[in-house]
Structures are given as structure tokens and as C-alpha cells.
Amino acid sequence: MDALAVVVFVLAFSDSTLSQGRDWIRFAILAAGATVHIQLTQRQEERRRAGTNTVLIDLTAVWVFPAVLTLPTPLTVLLIALIRAQRWYTARRPANTFIFASISHSIAAVLAHLAFLSLGPRNWGSLTALGSLREFSMIILAGLVYEGVQIVYVGGIIALGSSTRPKLRNILGSKADNLLEAITTGLGAITAILLIVMPPAVAVMAMVTVVFNRLAELDQLRDDVRTDWKTGVFNMRGWSESAERAFGRATRSEDGLAVLMIDLDHFKWINDTYGHPAGDDVLRTVAQTLDEVTRPADLVGRFGGEEFLVLLPDIDETTTKLAAERLRSAIEQLRIDTTDKRGGSTTIAGRTASIGVALSPANGGTLEALLQAADAAVYQAKEAGRNQVRFASSTDFQDPDTAGRSILP
């Protein structure tokens, strides 16, 4: 992939126009703005990178994308090189990974620049209303190329290099990641306009990016508090908060709701036989599977140990039975590539799960009551031979005001 990128760079450079004095001035302004941004957010960026194990959105598109729109190819690549050289001290990544990421930024910028140039010459200083609309659409197209190339280039390598089937959000990034990238690219388009119409105003964007970087860090910290670091789904705190809101909506609208508690059968045997890293791989794969086979509105969380929770809003008993059986079957059919105690490759297959189901309002008038009923149903499934779905009966409901044990933290 790196060799292919070098070929693209050579072809792009050979067809590039010579840099003029105006280009160098614009380059200097963007380089200065990027340097201010990077230096003032160094510690924030270190925390962001240390706190994520998925795709990381680099906020320097605010400076790279205006170069895509306004500078020749060599200066655009030179700007990226200066930015990435400063990022080296905060990236804390292996050299080969860092170089690959730098090349991915560069090839995305070069291809976006070529796509923008192919749409024809332009003069932003004399645009009519109709011309500005056309120009805006071309900027959007260039932004789509810039983001799309990075998604395909980086995501493809992640998918090909993973020993297990990677989660889709680890390849493409989450919706929040891609929204952040889109906003950053949009700020880059604004920077490009300021660079051409009012160059001194680009200094304002340097301050905006510092604030924006801080907001991105706060958003990531909020997600970290609500996410189980081992599996990537909600932890108990995050699941409980979202489930309480979903339960409140279902109660007000009198819609059906179900809570599933999923307990992996004989999970200790996996740790004892293959080692704890293999057990972690099983947990991650099961969590990913639950996330993939449920609906977007369903809530998947890790209860603790080898237990997971799934909340199914707006659902009846018949559909809940089908959904629970689908989850049980999906887990049973998993083939998980992992390692054994000696580090050798192995595959874990044929693992099963016992699932307890509680329905609202039949099994409880609160979320805590539903959890207690689902917990009781899980034990019934295990006592009956495991690898099955059991629904809670009305006798499993115990009002939380009189219950002797609370499941919610």
C-alpha cells in the first residue's frame, strides 16, 4: 500500500504546477496555524490517543483540507509532513504504524486535490450566487474523496491485518467518529475561504481548533466512562443509564419491552484450557456478535464477568422469543480464532449460552425488577441443561422495595 502511494505521489508531483509566492504565503499561514494548534493541545491529544483502541480521528484536517483546496500538491504534502513530524512526539505509535498513517493522510489529500482540480478552474473572488453554489458542491465532493480514501485505505489494512473478524466500528469508525471527521473537514473548508478572502482571520481558526480539540477529548472521556474497555459495548453504568431512559419511554407509550440476560456456559473452562487472553477474545467476539445481530435501537451491555445484557424496546413476546433464539444460535455458531496458553493459534467453537428473558410489564414495573426476573430465568436455563432460553414467570417478580438483593449498582 505504501509503494502504491509513492507511485501516486510521483504522478501527482510530475503534473503539478510550480509554486508561486502567493502559495508560499498561504502555506506559511497554514503551517503556523497548525503549529499553534498542535503545541497548545499536545497533552489533550496524548490523553485522547492513550484512551482509544479503535480508529482515532486526527483533528488536523482543519489545516490539511484548506491546503487541498488552495495549494499545489508538493506544498500540501510538505504541510502534512510538518504536521506529522510534530505529531510524532504525541502519537506514541510504532514507527511503521506512524509512517503508514502519515502516508494515508497524504494520499487522501493528493487524490482529493486532483479531484478538485479536475472540476475546472475557479476564482472565488468573483463568484455569483449560482457560482458559489456550484463551488460549494465541489468542495463537498473534495471532502468526500478526502474522507473516503482514508476510510478505505486505513480500514482495509485493519480488516486484512486482524487475526479475528474485526468489529465494523473498528474498521470504519463509529458514527460519532465519522461525524467528528466531517465537522473537522468542514472547519477546514471555512479555513480555506478565510485564507483566500481574509488571510489574517485564519488566526481565529487556530483558537477554534484548540477549543474543538478539548471538546473532542471531553466527549471521548464521557464515552470511556460508559463503555466496557474489554468488549467495546456499554458497561453497567452506561447500559443502566440508557436502559432507564428506554424503559421510561416504553412505560409512557405503553409499549412492550424485554430484558435479556445472557450467561456464557462453562466460561471458566475456556480460561483454564486456553488462558485468559483467549477468554478475552471470546468476550469481545460475543459482544461484537450481539451488537451485530440486534437492532440499532437495542441496548447491549456487559453485566460483568461472562454475562451480558440486552434490552429490546418496542417488542412483543413472540418477537422476543425469536430474537432470543437468534442470539443463542449466533453464539453457538461462533468460531473464534485466538491463541492457546503457549501462544499458538487455535480456534474455539461450539460454545453456548443460557439466556433469561423478562418482559415488561408482566415481570416487573421497574428496570431493577426486570433484571431480577431475567437473572432468575438464567438460573432456570442453567439448571435445565444450559444452551437454552427461559422466560421469567410472574412468580419471579419481586418488588424492589421489598427485595433483599439489588442487581443495579
Side-chain angles (χ1 to χ4, degrees), residues 41 69 79 102 125 129 139 141 178 228 230-231 248 256 264 287 309 312:
T41 61
L69 302 179
L79 178 66
S102 302
I139 291 175
L141 178 60
N178 288 287
D228 177 59
K230 186 172 290 186
T231 61
L264 302 184
L309 291 170
L312 308 176

Side-chain angles (χ1 to χ4, degrees), residues 229-248:
W229 66 271
K230 186 172 290 186
T231 61
V233 298
F234 281 128
N235 59 20
M236 197 55 196
R237 174 177 179 173
W239 188 90
S240 298
E241 292 174 353
S242 298
E244 285 287 3
R245 290 193 292 269
F247 183 83

Side-chain angles (χ1 to χ4, degrees), residues 164-231:
T164 59
R165 188 177 65 172
K167 194 172 183 179
L168 190 60
R169 65 172 288 164
N170 289 346
I171 298 175
L172 303 180
S174 65
K175 292 181 180 178
D177 292 333
N178 288 287
L179 178 60
L180 179 61
E181 178 75 8
I183 293 174
T184 306
T185 305
L187 290 174
I190 295 174
T191 304
I193 295 172
L194 292 176
L195 186 64
I196 292 177
V197 178
M198 194 182 300
V202 174
V204 176
M205 295 305 298
M207 297 300 102
V208 170
T209 54
V210 172
V211 175
F212 191 63
N213 214 108
R214 178 60 175 169
L215 293 176
E217 183 195 12
L218 292 175
D219 187 63
Q220 181 175 317
L221 290 174
R222 183 189 63 182
D223 289 341
D224 290 344
V225 170
R226 305 173 73 243
T227 302
D228 177 59
W229 66 271
K230 186 172 290 186
T231 61

Side-chain angles (χ1 to χ4, degrees), residues 2 5 9 80 84 97-110 146 149-150 153-154:
D2 291 345
F9 294 153
I80 294 174
R84 297 296 296 173
T97 303
F98 182 80
I99 292 173
F100 174 80
S102 302
I103 290 179
S104 71
H105 282 281
S106 300
I107 194 171
V110 168
Y146 179 68
V149 170
Q150 292 186 77
Y153 195 77
V154 177

Side-chain angles (χ1 to χ4, degrees), residues 72-386:
T73 301
L75 288 184
T76 300
V77 174
L78 178 59
L79 178 66
I80 294 174
L82 290 176
I83 291 174
R84 297 296 296 173
Q86 295 181 72
R87 275 284 187 241
W88 168 255
Y89 298 100
T90 57
R92 302 186 185 280
R93 295 290 188 269
N96 62 308
T97 303
F98 182 80
I99 292 173
F100 174 80
S102 302
I103 290 179
S104 71
H105 282 281
S106 300
I107 194 171
V110 168
L111 293 178
H113 176 73
L114 295 177
F116 188 63
L117 288 182
S118 67
L119 299 174
R122 58 198 49 81
N123 184 359
W124 287 4
S126 59
L127 287 177
T128 62
L130 183 60
S132 63
L133 182 61
R134 176 180 178 274
E135 194 69 21
F136 180 67
S137 65
M138 291 190 293
I139 291 175
I140 292 178
L141 178 60
L144 292 175
V145 173
Y146 179 68
E147 292 189 28
V149 170
Q150 292 186 77
I151 290 174
V152 172
Y153 195 77
V154 177
I157 290 296
I158 293 175
L160 292 173
S162 177
S163 59
T164 59
R165 188 177 65 172
K167 194 172 183 179
L168 190 60
R169 65 172 288 164
N170 289 346
I171 298 175
L172 303 180
S174 65
K175 292 181 180 178
D177 292 333
N178 288 287
L179 178 60
L180 179 61
E181 178 75 8
I183 293 174
T184 306
T185 305
L187 290 174
I190 295 174
T191 304
I193 295 172
L194 292 176
L195 186 64
I196 292 177
V197 178
M198 194 182 300
V202 174
V204 176
M205 295 305 298
M207 297 300 102
V208 170
T209 54
V210 172
V211 175
F212 191 63
N213 214 108
R214 178 60 175 169
L215 293 176
E217 183 195 12
L218 292 175
D219 187 63
Q220 181 175 317
L221 290 174
R222 183 189 63 182
D223 289 341
D224 290 344
V225 170
R226 305 173 73 243
T227 302
D228 177 59
W229 66 271
K230 186 172 290 186
T231 61
V233 298
F234 281 128
N235 59 20
M236 197 55 196
R237 174 177 179 173
W239 188 90
S240 298
E241 292 174 353
S242 298
E244 285 287 3
R245 290 193 292 269
F247 183 83
R249 290 191 297 268
T251 301
R252 290 190 296 271
S253 59
E254 298 183 351
D255 292 330
L257 180 144
V259 172
L260 279 62
M261 183 171 288
I262 302 168
D263 193 322
L264 302 184
D265 296 329
H266 303 297
F267 183 75
K268 184 176 183 298
W269 177 86
I270 297 175
N271 286 332
D272 293 342
T273 304
Y274 299 99
H276 287 85
D280 291 345
D281 286 340
V282 171
L283 291 175
R284 277 190 291 268
T285 304
V286 169
Q288 173 187 339
T289 301
L290 295 177
D291 202 27
E292 290 176 349
V293 301
T294 52
R295 302 170 300 178
D298 299 337
L299 302 176
V300 178
R302 185 183 178 199
F303 183 67
E306 66 273 20
E307 294 178 314
F308 294 88
L309 291 170
V310 179
L311 183 142
L312 308 176
D314 191 19
I315 198 168
D316 57 27
E317 182 175 355
T318 301
T319 310
T320 300
K321 289 180 180 178
L322 295 174
E325 280 295 335
R326 184 171 64 249
L327 295 179
R328 185 201 61 78
S329 178
I331 293 173
E332 187 177 22
Q333 295 173 16
L334 286 175
R335 294 182 57 84
I336 304 167
D337 296 326
T338 182
T339 57
D340 57 25
K341 287 183 176 180
R342 295 179 175 82
S345 298
T346 188
T347 299
I348 298 177
R351 308 314 306 165
T352 61
S354 301
I355 302 178
V357 183
L359 299 172
S360 174
N363 299 124
T366 65
L367 182 61
E368 184 174 351
L370 293 177
L371 284 169
Q372 290 175 341
D375 186 46
V378 165
Y379 282 105
Q380 293 176 9
K382 286 186 172 295
E383 292 171 355
R386 306 178 189 272

